[in-house]
Amino acid sequence: MNAQAPALQDPRLNRPEPFTARDGGFFQRDRSIHPPAHAPGYKSSVLRSPRQALLSLENSVSEITGPVFGHNDLGPLDNDLIRNYAKDGDPVGERIIVHGRVLDETGRGVPNTLVEFWQANAGGRYRHKKDTYLAPIDPNFGGCGRALSDDAGYYYFRTVKPGPYPWRNYVNSWRPAHIHFSVFGSGFAQRLITQMYFEGDPLIPICPILTTIPDKDALDRLVAPLDLNASTPFDSLAYRFDIVLRGARSTYFENRAEGN
Amino acid sequence: MPQPLNYLKETTSQTAGPYVHIGLIPAMAGFDIFEKNFSNVLVTPGSKGERIILEGKVLDGSGTPLRDVLLEIWQANAAGRYNHPADRSAGRLDEDFRGWGRAGSDFESGVVTFETIKPGAITDKAGRRCAPHVNVWIVARGINIGLNTRLYFSDEEAANAADPVLNLIEQPVRRATLIAKRGERAGKIVYSFTINLQGPQETVFFDV
């Protein structure tokens, strides 16, 4: 008997693909770590939140499948927000690298998945025709990008640190500095939009959007730590942001319908 | 103490906000940045199937259309097959149809449109036939976690009546909230839909 026998572990954790098809549907979503649809402190949610119970759906092929993207969908500068809209110089602001992995709830990397991101400029102004904040547009900054995760689920991009900005909720509400993320996963039921915040921002605990999150640990997981080891000396600081999508159940002993 | 399970927790959802267009449809935000862009046109010249337009609005609890909403749709091809390796059903793949698109609502009218093809009926894992449908995901300012719903087709009455998901809806009157109505305009087939976030006609949303 091997003295170093590994501890018993759920067979779904950390085992390489393929084993059995992971098409048993996604793990049930734990709604207690998400903000509720109706969150009166975030006023816009009041008229935009369904009031009936959601109908729980066993995942069918419609939910476990989703769009597949490839490098042909992207351009070479898509993950470089310092260069992808530069007209006559670099954008103003703190140069940063944001990097991390897209994982699922079993801890496996989610490979080749599309990650899209967008943000305000260093002064807190969005390049959007509906944003009227008095901070100036940066002529060299678009504020969006995208990347495809690699085989291990890893992604990265370069940008400038966004600034905080005021918004109409209470008369003196300010958003902490943040970057919006859109992530796909392999099935449409994994689709997720979230926001990444920056370690140490004093606006985080008083943001009316963030205070709708019912779970303190869930909020903390949206805050990216400074990652000095990943920074580029004399060039850019780095922040680390891992994103976790729903895990999928395996179909161990299920009889397959004919044709499958 | 039992052994720990060590699952990770899903990342918490956050609203897409009012400026979602910057990241997902930059042309709507008012600028041009990417060489290649995603759009509300799913159909390509080679796509097989009946060309259709899906057109609708998302209404808030006051009946006002959301003018900053973003919808994505995901659907099978005309043969009922999703363009994804986990669909092992018998329908033929269509290389010219990805089956996914995204659209922002018009900033004035709130109208959302997609140009696509009508999907075929799909076969689920248990071998049951499911009525043709389009899967819809909705995000916007004020929506804290993306809303999932489906669109079915008004001219598929028999298939809809037998559909296992529509039949999960306890109140038959609520099933109607998922049916897009077939019509014709300028020689094109238009399916119209209204998604009500609240009220007596509240659309059925799914916890997928």
Side-chain angles (χ1 to χ4, degrees):
Chain A
M1 175 121 186
N2 188 340
Q4 291 292 317
L8 280 174
Q9 197 176 35
D10 186 295
R12 289 169 293 203
L13 300 182
N14 302 318
R15 69 174 157 63
E17 300 275 15
F19 179 69
T20 53
R22 296 169 63 222
D23 59 1
F26 293 104
F27 300 166
Q28 182 177 301
R29 179 168 256 159
D30 177 359
R31 298 230 165 220
S32 73
I33 58 169
H34 294 285
H38 180 233
Y42 173 29
K43 295 182 183 181
S44 297
S45 75
V46 173
L47 279 176
R48 294 183 167 200
S49 42
R51 300 304 163 89
Q52 304 292 324
L54 302 179
L55 182 60
S56 293
L57 215 54
E58 257 183 279
N59 285 174
S60 71
V61 68
S62 297
E63 288 79 34
I64 66 169
T65 59
V68 177
F69 299 99
H71 289 284
N72 286 342
D73 290 309
L74 306 184
L77 286 180
D78 281 7
N79 71 337
D80 188 351
L81 281 67
I82 286 182
R83 291 283 156 75
N84 69 7
Y85 200 76
K87 303 298 181 198
D88 57 9
D90 286 348
V92 172
E94 297 175 39
R95 299 161 64 86
I96 61 169
I97 290 163
V98 177
H99 74 126
R101 289 180 74 200
V102 183
L103 304 163
D104 73 16
E105 289 168 292
T106 68
R108 264 185 296 233
V110 179
N112 307 313
T113 200
L114 184 65
V115 183
E116 299 166 289
F117 19 86
W118 68 99
Q119 62 170 89
N121 69 24
R125 175 74 183 268
Y126 283 102
R127 182 175 288 280
H128 191 290
K129 56 184 170 192
K130 296 288 181 189
D131 186 5
T132 56
Y133 179 38
L134 55 81
I137 289 280
D138 184 332
N140 293 307
F141 191 66
C144 59
R146 47 201 189 174
L148 211 57
S149 65
D150 72 10
D151 290 345
Y154 185 75
Y155 76 91
Y156 66 95
F157 61 96
R158 181 166 78 157
T159 186
V160 295
K161 192 175 176 188
Y165 58 83
W167 61 297
R168 292 185 184 280
N169 191 65
Y170 305 115
V171 289
N172 198 16
S173 293
W174 292 74
R175 290 307 323 280
H178 62 276
I179 300 177
H180 297 263
F181 278 76
S182 152
V183 195
F184 280 80
S186 60
F188 207 48
Q190 287 176 298
R191 193 79 180 84
L192 183 74
I193 277 186
T194 188
Q195 301 179 30
M196 179 201 109
Y197 303 89
F198 292 87
E199 178 183 9
D201 190 332
L203 291 169
I204 290 173
I206 55 172
C207 171
I209 287 179
L210 280 170
T211 51
T212 64
I213 300 174
D215 181 293
K216 170 76 166 69
D217 293 337
L219 190 161
D220 288 347
R221 288 192 296 270
L222 296 181
V223 182
L226 176 70
D227 183 357
L228 199 59
N229 290 340
S231 69
T232 307
F234 303 103
D235 183 330
S236 303
L237 283 174
Y239 288 85
R240 169 94 187 188
F241 188 56
D242 289 338
I243 299 162
V244 180
L245 303 179
R246 296 166 67 189
R249 290 195 302 274
S250 298
T251 48
Y252 296 105
F253 302 108
E254 191 171 290
N255 289 325
R256 293 194 181 284
E258 196 179 338
N260 283 5
Chain B
M1 280 277 281
Q3 297 170 4
L5 276 171
N6 295 329
Y7 288 106
L8 302 177
K9 296 275 196 185
E10 188 188 15
T11 298
T12 294
S13 172
Q14 292 274 271
T15 177
Y19 307 128
V20 59
H21 316 88
I22 296 172
L24 306 190
I25 316 176
M28 284 194 72
F31 66 107
D32 179 31
I33 185 165
F34 299 133
E35 287 171 32
K36 297 165 186 175
N37 288 282
F38 302 121
S39 83
N40 62 334
V41 180
L42 287 76
V43 66
T44 66
S47 301
K48 297 177 185 65
E50 182 188 22
R51 267 62 178 164
I52 63 168
I53 292 171
L54 294 173
E55 180 180 281
K57 294 182 182 181
V58 180
L59 307 184
D60 73 12
S62 75
T64 305
L66 272 62
R67 292 170 299 174
D68 55 6
V69 70
L70 183 136
L71 268 59
E72 289 186 359
I73 60 172
W74 169 241
Q75 64 168 93
N77 67 23
R81 173 87 177 260
Y82 286 97
N83 193 347
H84 186 279
D87 186 350
R88 300 186 193 81
S89 62
R92 227 182 138 77
L93 263 182
D94 181 350
E95 296 298 331
D96 295 314
F97 189 70
R98 171 144 59 188
W100 171 84
R102 65 167 50 133
S105 59
D106 183 88
F107 287 125
E108 304 302 322
S109 65
V111 171
V112 181
T113 59
F114 290 96
E115 294 177 36
T116 185
I117 54 106
K118 190 176 172 194
I122 67 167
T123 305
D124 73 8
K125 277 195 298 183
R128 293 178 299 189
R129 294 283 276 182
C130 305
H133 63 272
V134 169
N135 306 286
V136 182
W137 182 74
I138 304 163
V139 292
R141 170 177 66 90
I143 294 178
N144 284 327
I145 181 164
L147 299 171
N148 292 92
T149 185
R150 290 181 171 195
L151 290 175
Y152 289 82
F153 297 91
S154 62
D155 54 324
E156 295 283 347
E157 274 181 46
N160 291 343
D163 183 77
V165 168
L166 285 174
N167 281 301
L168 276 180
I169 302 170
E170 184 184 343
Q171 301 83 3
V173 64
R174 297 202 70 211
R175 292 173 198 159
T177 66
L178 302 185
I179 313 290
K181 286 188 184 57
R182 185 180 175 106
E184 209 179 315
R185 193 172 62 219
K188 292 184 170 175
I189 302 299
V190 180
Y191 284 93
S192 308
F193 64 90
T194 302
I195 293 170
N196 288 286
L197 297 181
Q198 296 175 5
Q201 305 297 316
E202 182 176 314
T203 294
V204 173
F205 297 103
F206 297 107
D207 188 7
V208 297

